[in-house]
């Protein structure tokens, strides 16, 4: 899908209305009509050109201008108290060259206090550099602010390392989820220990949040060695501190955007703890946020497992028809970026499971077949085998004997490799399928 069309369809109702009103008030009726057509139509170009007598070059200009309008709106909505403070900081040279020294120092110290509260070392570096320059003839103060500047640099690099650790952890998790390679697991363990060390060196809310995201997620999905569990704080304590940080930091650019991440982590925790009532509360909250969980940045966190939890809940409550309505009304329309391999795999598997439990085996096999053609799973042998086993099962239930046998033979060859030495459950399932075909 064209990026412009994708953005317009993802706008909230209020955002769309603001752009539409802005276009009409500025007499850009054609742009407003094209905006509305994109929002409402699956074939916006064809539908718009049917209504308008417009040349190809004029349409290109119109689309380009609409794209600029949308981009400007999205940029301008980023008004934020922290952004306003940062804007002031980066005008320090205007302040230093055009104000009396005492006014400059007082203003910068006030900005320093604000940036310390906001836990923003990058901007503190600018403040301390300016204060050092303003105290050029005072050796003690110049030395003091030089030290503060160097500490801010180290603090900034530590924050960057913590944020990079989060991104690296979820990259490794994605590879491990699909491939089950020991090297990817070991990489995650190294990251868990590394971010814990960074957190121990600095008193930073951001670093603590980064550490907590990694630790909490790892405890929900991985079997961690005792030495790693020993460095982790009790989960309830971690959640309590994190929610306090997020509550007190509502104006922070980072903190105000990661509440959904912690709602997901909280759900996973209650699910694994079998705290049924609390799990239900968080599930109902997340059930309205499935598209955001699958498509938003979310700090790189893989959240698509929510689809399987949703299916599992509806099956246990015998409300599959309700889930099918949700699927037809909005879930199947979710557009996932092609570079999010794990999310795309899980989305396809969810679709296939939904068809399977609806006893629509033909649809399930078609979804799995298309997925194998669309996504190259050969570099992820574990997931490749999982999908083949599921597809073989569906073929067996369809009495597609030849197709099932082809997959079974392929899996038998695959399972002889050292990589699958510990895949006993896969071999057992394969044996059951073989026995079913042979009539045993």
């Amino acid at each position: 899908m064209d990026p412009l069309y994708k953005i317009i369809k993802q706008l909230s109702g209020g955002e769309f209305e603001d752009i539409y009103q802005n276009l009409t008030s500025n007499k850009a009726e054609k742009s407003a009509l094209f905006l509305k057509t994109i929002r409402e139509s699956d074939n916006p170009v064809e539908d718009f050109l049917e209504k308008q007598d417009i040349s190809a070059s004029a349409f290109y200009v119109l689309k380009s201008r609409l794209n600029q309008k949308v981009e400007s709106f999205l940029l301008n909505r980023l008004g934020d108290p922290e952004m306003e403070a940062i804007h002031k900081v980066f005008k320090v040279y205007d302040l230093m060259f055009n104000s009396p020294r005492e006014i400059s120092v007082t203003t910068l110290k006030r900005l320093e206090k604000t940036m310390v509260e906001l836990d923003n070392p990058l901007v503190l570096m600018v403040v301390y550099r300016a204060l050092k320059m303003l105290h050029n003839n005072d050796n003690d103060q110049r030395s003091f602010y030089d030290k503060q500047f160097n500490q801010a640099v180290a603090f900034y690099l530590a924050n960057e390392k913590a944020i990079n650790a989060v991104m690296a952890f979820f990259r490794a998790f994605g590879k491990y989820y699909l491939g089950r390679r020991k090297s990817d697991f070991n990489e995650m363990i190294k990251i868990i220990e590394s971010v814990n060390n960074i957190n121990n060196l600095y008193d930073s809310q951001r670093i603590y949040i980064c550490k907590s995201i990694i630790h909490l997620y790892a405890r929900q999905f991985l079997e961690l060695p005792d030495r790693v569990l020993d460095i982790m704080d009790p989960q309830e304590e971690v959640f309590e501190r994190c929610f306090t940080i997020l509550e007190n930091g509502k104006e922070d650019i980072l903190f105000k955007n990661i509440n959904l991440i912690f709602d997901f982590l909280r759900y996973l925790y209650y699910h694994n703890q079998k705290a049924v009532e609390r799990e239900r509360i968080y599930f109902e909250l997340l059930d309205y946020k499935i598209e955001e969980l699958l498509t938003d940045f979310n700090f790189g966190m893989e959240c698509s497992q929510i689809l399987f939890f949703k299916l599992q809940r509806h099956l246990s409550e015998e409300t599959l028809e309700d889930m099918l309505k949700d699927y037809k009304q909005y879930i199947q329309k979710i557009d996932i970026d092609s570079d999010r391999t794990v999310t795309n795999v899980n989305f396809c598997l969810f679709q296939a499971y939904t068809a399977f439990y609806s006893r629509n085996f033909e649809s399930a096999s078609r979804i799995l077949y298309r997925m194998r053609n669309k996504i190259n799973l050969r570099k992820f042998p574990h997931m490749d085998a999982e999908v083949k086993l599921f597809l073989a099962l569906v073929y067996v239930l369809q009495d597609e004997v030849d197709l099932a046998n082809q997959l079974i033979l392929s899996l038998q060859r695959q399972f002889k490799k050292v990589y699958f030495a510990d895949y006993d459950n896969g071999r057992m399932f394969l044996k059951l399928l073989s026995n079913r075909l042979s009539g045993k």
Side-chain angles (χ1 to χ4, degrees), residues 192-230:
I192 291 170
E193 294 173 331
S194 171
V195 77
N196 192 68
N197 292 335
I198 297 170
N199 179 72
N200 291 339
L201 290 172
Y202 294 91
D203 181 18
S204 167
Q205 292 182 340
R206 291 192 183 208
I207 293 175
Y208 182 81
I209 287 289
C210 289
K211 183 202 80 166
S212 300
I213 289 171
I214 293 173
H215 283 199
L216 290 169
Y217 192 91
R219 294 184 76 155
Q220 312 315 317
F221 288 109
L222 303 175
E223 292 186 15
L224 300 170
D226 289 341
R227 80 169 197 277
V228 173
L229 291 172
D230 288 343

Side-chain angles (χ1 to χ4, degrees), residues 134-164:
L134 287 169
H135 290 88
N136 191 48
N137 296 316
D138 184 330
N139 290 339
D140 290 341
Q141 286 295 302
R142 187 180 70 253
S143 177
F144 172 76
Y145 285 117
D146 186 51
K147 182 179 178 181
Q148 293 295 96
F149 173 80
N150 291 333
Q151 288 178 348
V153 170
F155 190 33
Y156 168 72
L157 293 174
N159 272 266
E160 284 297 294
K161 286 181 180 178
I163 291 172
N164 289 338

Side-chain angles (χ1 to χ4, degrees), residues 2-14:
D2 187 291
L4 174 63
Y5 305 160
K6 190 172 182 178
I7 289 169
I8 290 173
K9 288 182 180 294
Q10 291 177 346
L11 292 171
S12 68

Side-chain angles (χ1 to χ4, degrees), residues 3-106:
L4 174 63
Y5 305 160
K6 190 172 182 178
I7 289 169
I8 290 173
K9 288 182 180 294
Q10 291 177 346
L11 292 171
S12 68
E15 291 168 339
F16 171 80
E17 191 61 30
D18 286 346
I19 298 174
Y20 184 79
Q21 292 298 331
N22 180 269
L23 291 171
T24 53
S25 63
N26 286 291
K27 298 183 179 180
E29 288 85 1
K30 286 187 178 180
S31 292
L33 177 61
F34 188 38
L35 177 80
K36 189 174 182 181
T37 305
I38 294 170
R39 181 79 166 184
E40 298 174 351
S41 173
D42 292 329
N43 300 294
V45 176
E46 294 85 345
D47 292 348
F48 177 75
L49 292 177
E50 280 182 10
K51 301 173 186 175
Q52 298 292 316
D53 183 14
I54 186 172
S55 67
S57 58
F59 173 72
Y60 176 81
V61 172
L62 177 73
K63 180 183 174 185
S64 177
R65 288 177 178 170
L66 178 59
N67 190 60
Q68 292 173 3
K69 289 282 187 183
V70 173
E71 286 180 351
S72 297
F73 172 83
L74 294 175
L75 183 62
N76 290 335
R77 72 174 182 169
L78 291 176
D80 186 281
E82 183 172 351
M83 291 299 291
E84 293 173 11
I86 291 172
H87 179 68
K88 292 176 182 177
V89 168
F90 284 106
K91 294 180 72 176
V92 293
Y93 284 124
D94 284 341
L95 178 70
M96 293 166 63
F97 282 98
N98 297 294
S99 302
R101 180 178 178 279
E102 288 304 317
I103 291 177
S104 297
V105 170
T106 301

Side-chain angles (χ1 to χ4, degrees), residues 296-307:
D296 285 1
F297 170 59
N298 293 328
F299 232 146
M301 179 186 291
E302 186 55 52
C303 303
S304 57
Q305 301 94 329
I306 190 64
L307 294 169

